[in-house]
Amino acid sequence: MDTTSHRGRIWVLTDKSGTLIEDIDTDQIFHNAFLHITELAEMGQYALGNLEGWKDFPKKAKPGDIVAAGRNFGAGSSRQQAVDCFIALKVDAILAPSYSSIYFRNAVNSGFPILRCGELDSLTAGRKLESGDEVEVDFLSGKGFNLTKNSAFSVEPMSAVQREIFREGNLFAFGRSFGR
Amino acid sequence: MGNTVIEKIIQAHTADEVAPGRIVWMDLDIRSARDFGGPNVVKNYEREYAGLPLADKSKTYFTFDLCAPACTLKYADNQQACRDFARRNGVEVYDVDSGVGTHVLMEGGLARANGTVVGTDSHMNILGAIGAFGQGMGDVDVTFAFRTGRTWFEVPESVRVVLKGTFKKPTSAKDLTLYLLKVLGTKKIALRSAEFTGPAVAGLSLAGRLTLCSMVTEMAGIIGFIPECGAEARKEIESYTKTPYSPFSPDGDAGYAETIEVDVQGLSPQVAAPPSPTNVKPAVELRGTKIDSGFIGSCTNGRFEDFAEAARLLIGRKVKKGIMLKIVPATRRVYKELLARGILQDLFEAGAIVVNPGCGGCAEGHVGLTGKGEVQISTGNRNFAGKQGKGQTYLASPAVVAASCILGHIAGPEDL
């Protein structure tokens, strides 16, 4: 992939009170009832299928959308499908203050832009970022801009290894780039 | 400055400089995949590496533990796809008769102190209990590991968790673990390697060490180690590895990001109420909550002593009419010992449902599912909303689960 910045509509995963949902675990993202699925194309329909208030996400999501979530996103299982279901829907990036270690790795290894954004809680609480806003994020510089609200924010730029895997496409292509 | 346990293990597996925050390329001693994740690994491998050999078939394993034996056609297909791949590539399969993969790798002497072990199981870090760096990984990572024997890893910070005081039975390692979940939550050791120390953990049996280390995942930690090791645990570990147990110890001047003290003096039994493993209360506060079913097993509480403790309470008593008590030994070896010592008979006579080894209700595959409105008390490690079905799951020790199933509501052994 050449482009290091992405513009798209954002979904901010909040609860009924408008607070960012923390500790969203992989059974809420991609339930274990569907763990037997190995085809990427079949995975999208189950994205967030067990997250209260967001079960209709696959119907609402459009290619190019961005997802924002609370801290410790992707807790729980090692299932790659919890990343792949977003890739299947052609979601283009995920933002959260932090992630479970395994989830973060899985996304990085798939070449899927997963970015840490420490400001998300305050942006959400201050209604400076809401579902439906059009935002632009530069994965390398970490610069973010909310075009709907005309306000800037920042994310942590990709680390060196994340950048290299992203550039090559995924861990397999990255490995081949240096003969592994 | 000296090094922590995780830093020493990683340094023994890389030529790169090891320091917290650095990304290193690390050799992996054991690479494994389960009947979940495994089929995806096979598919990835055949797409990305068709015709190319594994880095080392003698270090590569499949462990089937999730849906064992397969109870859906999809799992039957997926397991067979792994078996066929394994046969073509000369890889050993711990098949559906074996039990929980992490425990099987430990009992087989394959996962060892100071080694690195990966697999498609987020509780792979349970192997911190025997001083190994176990790490759960997704199918992309594990496919790459099958082919190359390596992966990249960001060296985590280490945190020291000092436990002050001691406790007595019936308070168990599970109660300690649940209490730590309450105190540490999912923030305090998040993305870090924890070293637990103090009299409350120094003398834990291997089963108790496994219980504590398994739930570091629910604390959002990378892994937990217990550098001190009592004679009983040491003996059991050595019976599997057939060599003296000599895990890395942290240096006296090792660099910790933080030291956290937790007072566990006189700790009482604890229960995690739905919908999160960190939603922990003293068991007495939940006493009287009606239950429909109980579950004893999982990687967290599936060892011989977990069932022996339950049987101790169930002998001469009965599971209350209308309550289901499901028993799932972690491994075939545990099952055999339970058979040989008459424990399975005791559990059977008390009215429990005893099934073959495996993961149990943590995923959809085996037993331990709940229907809408059902209340389950389980020795497992997760009770997230909807995980095991639409029912409500409480997490507790084997003793609390057994007592609750006898009385039909949440209770401790003292209530019997």
Side-chain angles (χ1 to χ4, degrees):
Chain A
M1 275 186 225
D2 307 327
T3 174
T4 63
S5 86
H6 178 74
R7 184 171 162 178
R9 177 178 66 162
I10 199 161
W11 293 103
V12 186
L13 302 184
T14 51
D15 61 19
K16 279 180 196 155
S17 73
T19 308
L20 263 185
I21 309 173
E22 299 188 342
D23 298 317
I24 296 176
D25 82 283
T26 51
D27 272 309
Q28 292 168 304
I29 301 171
F30 189 92
H31 195 267
N32 62 59
F34 312 110
L35 284 185
H36 57 267
I37 295 173
T38 58
E39 282 297 329
L40 183 73
E42 292 172 28
M43 296 178 192
Q45 61 187 307
Y46 303 114
L48 302 181
N50 186 39
L51 182 64
E52 208 47 56
W54 291 91
K55 294 180 182 176
D56 58 347
F57 179 76
K59 291 199 184 93
K60 297 193 294 196
K62 284 193 311 206
D65 284 355
I66 296 172
V67 169
R71 55 169 290 286
N72 196 27
F73 184 72
S77 150
S78 61
R79 69 195 66 159
Q80 193 90 33
Q81 291 109 319
V83 172
D84 288 343
C85 64
F86 292 116
I87 296 176
L89 291 173
K90 298 191 165 55
V91 167
D92 267 353
I94 293 184
L95 313 181
S98 67
Y99 301 89
S100 91
S101 159
I102 302 175
Y103 192 85
F104 189 77
R105 285 185 68 84
N106 285 347
V108 169
N109 287 335
S110 290
F112 181 66
I114 184 166
L115 300 156
R116 299 186 183 102
C117 176
E119 292 177 54
L120 264 186
D121 287 292
S122 59
L123 288 171
T124 307
R127 303 184 76 94
K128 287 184 180 150
L129 187 69
E130 294 178 283
S131 285
D133 287 357
E134 188 79 5
V135 301
E136 184 157 15
V137 182
D138 187 308
F139 307 149
L140 297 193
S141 71
K143 281 184 185 150
F145 194 77
N146 185 334
L147 291 96
T148 307
K149 305 273 199 291
N150 197 30
S151 64
F153 62 95
S154 61
V155 301
E156 270 182 46
M158 285 183 173
S159 70
V161 70
Q162 185 182 7
R163 202 164 59 226
E164 287 165 32
I165 293 171
F166 174 69
R167 189 174 289 143
E168 296 295 333
N170 59 29
L171 181 64
F172 303 122
F174 174 61
R176 277 191 282 273
S177 73
F178 53 91
R180 283 198 179 115
Chain B
M1 194 165 62
N3 292 115
T4 63
V5 174
I6 190 78
E7 289 161 7
K8 289 187 180 188
I9 297 177
I10 292 176
Q11 191 67 78
H13 290 82
T14 184
D16 300 332
E17 189 192 333
V18 171
R22 277 192 176 262
I23 287 168
V24 301
W25 281 91
M26 181 171 77
D27 294 326
L28 304 169
D29 298 328
I30 301 288
R31 315 108 193 198
S32 66
R34 302 161 71 198
D35 44 345
F36 133 69
N40 310 63
V41 168
V42 167
K43 202 169 225 179
N44 292 340
Y45 201 96
E46 291 182 337
R47 187 187 63 239
E48 300 290 335
Y49 302 129
L52 296 172
L54 300 165
D56 187 341
K57 63 185 180 186
S58 72
K59 295 180 174 179
T60 309
Y61 298 88
F62 285 96
T63 60
F64 297 163
D65 53 17
L66 196 147
C67 187
C71 61
T72 68
L73 295 173
K74 283 281 192 184
Y75 272 106
D77 285 344
N78 282 350
Q79 288 169 356
Q80 192 59 30
C82 294
R83 281 187 202 105
D84 288 343
F85 177 90
R87 285 171 190 154
R88 285 198 298 279
N89 289 280
V91 169
E92 187 163 353
V93 177
Y94 286 94
D95 217 305
V96 293
D97 56 330
S98 307
V100 179
T102 48
H103 288 243
V104 168
L105 293 172
M106 175 188 78
E107 289 175 348
L110 297 164
R112 309 171 75 84
N114 309 330
T116 50
V117 187
V118 298
T120 56
D121 180 350
S122 60
H123 289 105
M124 213 74 201
N125 54 4
I126 194 173
L127 294 169
I130 58 167
F133 181 24
Q135 196 68 154
M137 293 186 174
D139 58 68
V140 171
D141 241 324
V142 171
T143 308
F144 188 79
F146 271 29
R147 169 70 187 131
T148 68
R150 317 184 76 196
T151 196
W152 62 276
F153 206 81
E154 183 179 336
V155 181
E157 290 181 332
S158 293
V159 54
R160 227 168 143 249
V161 181
V162 181
L163 304 173
K164 302 256 179 197
T166 56
F167 51 79
K168 288 193 302 226
K169 272 191 170 185
T171 302
S172 68
K174 183 59 168 287
D175 302 300
L176 169 68
T177 304
L178 292 172
Y179 186 68
L180 287 173
L181 274 151
K182 178 183 187 170
V183 174
L184 301 174
T186 61
K187 291 183 185 170
K188 294 247 172 86
I189 67 165
L191 307 176
R192 293 164 155 183
S193 168
E195 293 178 13
F196 298 101
T197 180
V201 290
L204 284 180
S205 63
L206 180 56
R209 294 167 71 91
L210 290 163
T211 300
L212 172 55
C213 292
S214 74
M215 291 194 75
V216 168
T217 301
E218 281 60 53
M219 301 174 198
I222 296 283
I223 191 166
F225 296 102
I226 310 170
E228 298 148 286
C229 184
E232 186 196 336
R234 177 179 299 274
K235 194 173 154 202
E236 186 175 350
I237 295 168
E238 292 178 348
S239 77
Y240 300 140
T241 60
K242 317 289 185 209
T243 52
Y245 179 59
S246 56
F248 287 131
S249 294
D251 290 327
D253 59 345
Y256 295 98
E258 193 179 351
T259 294
I260 301 170
E261 292 192 358
V262 182
D263 183 3
V264 297
Q265 179 62 37
L267 186 71
S268 65
Q270 306 285 311
V271 172
S276 131
T278 57
N279 186 23
V280 174
K281 305 170 178 18
V284 291
E285 285 184 21
L286 293 162
R287 179 190 283 153
T289 305
K290 290 256 185 290
I291 61 160
D292 299 288
S293 56
F295 174 90
I296 306 180
S298 83
C299 59
T300 295
N301 278 112
R303 302 302 298 175
F304 175 82
E305 77 175 50
D306 295 316
F307 301 105
E309 177 66 5
R312 194 177 65 76
L313 300 172
L314 284 159
I315 289 170
R317 298 190 175 100
K318 290 275 184 199
V319 172
K320 190 178 167 95
K321 192 169 163 49
I323 306 286
M324 300 170 274
L325 172 56
K326 303 163 194 175
I327 303 281
V328 188
T331 67
R332 192 173 171 82
R333 176 189 284 261
V334 170
Y335 194 100
K336 185 180 177 183
E337 197 179 348
L338 292 170
L339 264 177
R341 308 260 293 258
I343 307 275
L344 287 190
Q345 173 115 27
D346 295 335
L347 295 168
F348 178 88
E349 297 290 351
I353 306 159
V354 182
V355 307
N356 61 306
C359 286
C362 284
E364 199 204 12
H366 212 144
V367 302
L369 305 182
T370 60
K372 193 173 181 182
E374 181 175 340
V375 178
Q376 169 182 247
I377 186 156
S378 164
T379 66
N381 44 53
R382 290 183 183 145
N383 58 352
F384 300 122
K387 178 172 176 61
Q388 288 111 343
K390 289 185 174 160
Q392 304 271 302
T393 294
Y394 290 81
L395 304 177
S397 70
V400 168
V401 172
S404 303
C405 287
I406 292 165
L407 294 171
H409 56 79
I410 293 180
E414 70 281 4
D415 298 320
L416 295 174

